[in-house]
Every structure is written in structure tokens, then in C-alpha cells.
């Protein structure tokens, strides 16, 4: 319940706080939204004001063999990495949430370390490790590397979801004779599904957006979409990059809306489970 603002300093601070929040929001969003009109510019330069409106750069993106190869590579690596990261992260989160043992904090720290350690250090370490085992310039190595980067997000989201899980449901199912695998598949997994899916979306976004690790591990024929964009900005700035960025912004917005829907669904399930 909102309490009335009785004094003028309180009212002044209330309006100033709202103004600061809006200013921060605009400061964060405007640099992203500026890209969208540039993707419809008919000119060959990234500049304002726009010389005209055109779908030329979207057409060039979908008709370019280089861009389509990069898009294909991204949609090969990211889904596979997401599946591996989701499976490994979910199992790790469930094991850590249920068990009490020495070194639990250390294991948790190791699992989320790819999120904390600078990505260039992870890339260099993977490069030398892969060089010893023949995984450089392979899709297998690239998928495994991206999965490692996605695991921390799955672990954190699933662990947070498990905090509100009612363990009495598992005990009730076990008391009725259900084996542990059945309890997990039919009781635990449906209830923590919003957290699992949210973690999977974060893992997918991390893999789809990864540049540094890909630069170290991928061959020229395995260039992903962000790597192709990075190379285009460094070598030849083309408005096609703005068109690709706009498509990625749209994808990100859809993913955020999906995660918000999952968050609300998780709250509903948690409330019904507690009752």
C-alpha cells in the first residue's frame, strides 16, 4: 500500500527519484534503439539524418552467403550448447540443493566461475586445452565451450527456483512407491520447469552472443553471427550490421518477454504448491 506523501521534501524526493529512474532508463535504451532506424536507411553509411527508407540491408543479409553461413553456424552451436548446459546445470543445481556435504560452496563456486572469470582468460585456457586434445576448429569443441559458459546461468536460475520447492511433494510421491527418477520426472521437473527454461534462455543468449571464445576456437568456416558482425565492424562497416543488430534486438525482446511470463508462472506454481 502506498502511503501518502505528507511533507514537501518527501514529495520533492519522490518526483526527483522518478525523474532519475527515467533518465537512467533512457540512457540505457536510447543507444540500442538508435540502431533500429539505421537498419532501414537507404544510404550506404551509418549516419543521421536518414536519406530514405529501404529494406535493402535486410535483403542483403538474407541473400549473402557469408551472413547465412554465420547464421547457420550460430543456430548449430547455440541450441546444442543450450541443451548440454541445461541438462548439466539442472542436475548440478538439484544435487546441490538436496545434498549437504563438505565442499558444497567450493563446487558451487567452480560451477559459476565461467560467469565471474574474464572471458578472455577462459578463452585462452580452452585454447591451450583444446590444442592438446585436437578440439580446435571443431564444432564439438565450440559447442562444449559455449555450454561451459551457459552452465552458471542454469545453475543459478534452477537453484533459485528450488528454494521455493515444497519437498513434501517428493516425500509423498516416494512414500507411494515412486522411484527417484519418476519423482524427478513427474513431480520435481514440472514444478521447476520455469527456472529450467529461464536458465536455458540465458544459456542460449550467452552462446548466441559469444565472440571472444569463438575467435580463439573457431575456424574461418565456423564464424558465428556475432563473430561475423565483429569482423564486419573491424574491416568494413556496412549498414547490414545494423539490420542484423535489429533482428538480434527483436530476438532479445522476445526472450525477455518469455522469461517474464515464466517468472509469473513460477510464482503461481509456487503459490499453489505452498497451499
Amino acid at each position: 500500500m502506498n502511503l501518502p506523501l505528507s511533507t514537501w521534501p518527501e514529495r520533492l524526493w519522490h518526483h526527483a527519484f522518478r525523474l532519475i529512474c527515467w533518465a537512467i532508463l533512457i540512457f540505457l535504451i536510447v543507444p540500442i534503439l538508435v540502431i533500429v532506424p539505421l537498419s532501414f536507411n537507404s544510404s550506404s553509411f551509418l549516419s543521421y539524418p536518414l536519406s530514405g527508407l529501404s529494406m535493402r540491408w535486410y535483403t542483403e543479409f538474407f541473400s549473402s552467403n557469408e551472413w547465412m553461413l554465420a547464421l547457420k553456424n550460430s543456430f548449430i552451436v547455440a541450441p546444442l550448447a543450450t541443451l548440454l548446459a541445461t541438462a548439466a546445470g539442472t542436475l548440478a543445481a538439484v544435487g546441490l540443493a538436496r545434498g549437504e556435504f563438505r565442499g558444497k560452496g567450493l563446487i558451487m563456486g567452480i560451477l559459476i566461475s565461467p560467469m565471474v572469470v574474464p572471458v578472455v582468460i577462459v578463452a585462452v585456457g580452452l585454447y591451450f586445452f583444446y590444442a592438446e586434445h585436437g578440439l580446435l576448429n571443431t564444432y564439438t569443441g565450440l559447442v562444449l565451450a559455449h555450454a561451459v559458459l551457459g552452465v552458471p546461468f542454469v545453475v543459478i536460475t534452477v537453484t533459485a527456483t528450488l528454494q521455493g520447492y515444497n519437498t513434501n511433494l517428493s516425500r509423498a510421491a516416494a512414500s507411494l512407491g515412486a522411484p527417484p527418477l519418476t519423482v524427478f520426472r513427474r513431480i520435481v521437473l514440472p514444478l521447476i520447469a520455469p527456472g529450467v527454461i529461464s536458465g536455458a534462455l540465458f544459456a542460449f543468449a550467452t552462446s548466441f552472443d559469444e565472440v571472444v571464445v569463438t575467435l580463439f576456437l573457431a575456424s574461418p568456416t565456423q564464424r558465428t553471427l556475432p563473430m561475423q558482425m565483429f569482423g564486419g565492424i573491424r574491416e568494413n562497416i556496412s549498414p547490414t550490421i545494423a539490420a542484423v543488430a535489429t533482428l538480434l534486438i527483436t530476438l532479445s525482446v522476445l526472450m525477455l518477454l518469455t522469461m517474464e511470463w515464466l517468472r509469473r508462472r513460477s510464482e503461481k506454481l509456487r503459490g499453489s504448491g505452498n497451499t
Side-chain angles (χ1 to χ4, degrees):
M1 182 177 64
N2 295 326
L3 297 176
L5 303 175
S6 56
T7 63
W8 70 266
E10 291 179 347
R11 292 193 294 269
L12 179 62
W13 168 244
H14 174 71
H15 293 298
F17 181 76
R18 294 184 63 180
L19 181 63
I20 292 171
C21 290
W22 276 107
I24 294 173
L25 182 63
I26 293 172
F27 176 78
L28 294 174
I29 291 180
V30 166
I32 299 175
L33 296 182
V34 162
I35 299 295
V36 177
L38 289 175
S39 68
F40 296 98
N41 191 7
S42 59
S43 173
S44 299
F45 302 97
L46 295 172
S47 61
Y48 280 102
L50 303 181
S51 59
L53 297 179
S54 173
M55 297 292 292
R56 168 187 175 185
W57 305 114
Y58 290 92
T59 303
E60 181 169 329
F61 169 68
F62 287 107
S63 61
S64 170
N65 292 330
E66 290 185 355
W67 284 106
M68 287 297 98
L69 177 61
L71 182 65
K72 175 185 175 183
N73 288 333
S74 290
F75 276 109
I76 290 175
V77 174
L80 293 176
T82 300
L83 289 175
L84 289 177
T86 303
T90 301
L91 293 176
V94 171
L96 290 172
R98 289 184 175 182
E100 291 295 336
F101 50 88
R102 296 180 63 180
K104 179 178 177 179
L106 177 62
I107 294 176
M108 186 67 175
I110 293 173
L111 287 173
I112 66 173
S113 61
M115 181 191 296
V116 180
V117 177
V119 67
V120 66
I121 296 178
V122 176
V124 171
L126 287 172
Y127 175 82
F128 286 109
F129 178 79
Y130 280 9
E132 291 290 332
H133 296 83
L135 290 173
L136 285 177
N137 302 327
T138 64
Y139 281 107
T140 301
L142 202 57
V143 168
L144 291 175
H146 284 210
V148 168
L149 296 175
V151 164
F153 296 95
V154 180
V155 170
I156 290 174
T157 55
V158 176
T159 300
T161 305
L162 286 169
Q163 297 299 321
Y165 174 70
N166 188 354
T167 56
N168 291 328
L169 298 174
S170 298
R171 295 192 185 99
S175 67
L176 295 174
L181 184 59
T182 302
V183 173
F184 176 78
R185 182 171 56 86
R186 303 192 64 176
I187 304 296
V188 179
L189 189 57
L191 291 177
I192 67 171
V196 174
I197 298 174
S198 296
L201 290 175
F202 276 116
F204 180 84
T206 301
S207 174
F208 206 85
D209 189 52
E210 179 53 45
V211 177
V212 179
V213 170
T214 309
L215 283 172
F216 275 82
L217 305 181
S219 68
T221 60
Q222 295 168 344
R223 291 166 67 99
T224 58
L225 197 58
M227 187 176 172
Q228 182 71 22
M229 294 175 67
F230 179 79
I233 292 173
R234 185 178 58 181
E235 299 165 5
N236 180 27
I237 298 179
S238 168
T240 307
I241 298 174
V244 179
T246 301
L247 294 175
L248 293 180
I249 290 171
T250 304
L251 178 63
S252 300
V253 170
L254 293 176
M255 292 178 64
L256 287 173
L257 292 175
T258 302
M259 284 187 282
E260 176 62 19
W261 176 78
L262 290 170
R263 184 189 66 81
R264 294 184 180 183
R265 184 175 182 273
S266 178
E267 289 180 353
K268 291 181 180 179
L269 290 174
R270 189 178 302 174
S272 60
N274 291 331
T275 55

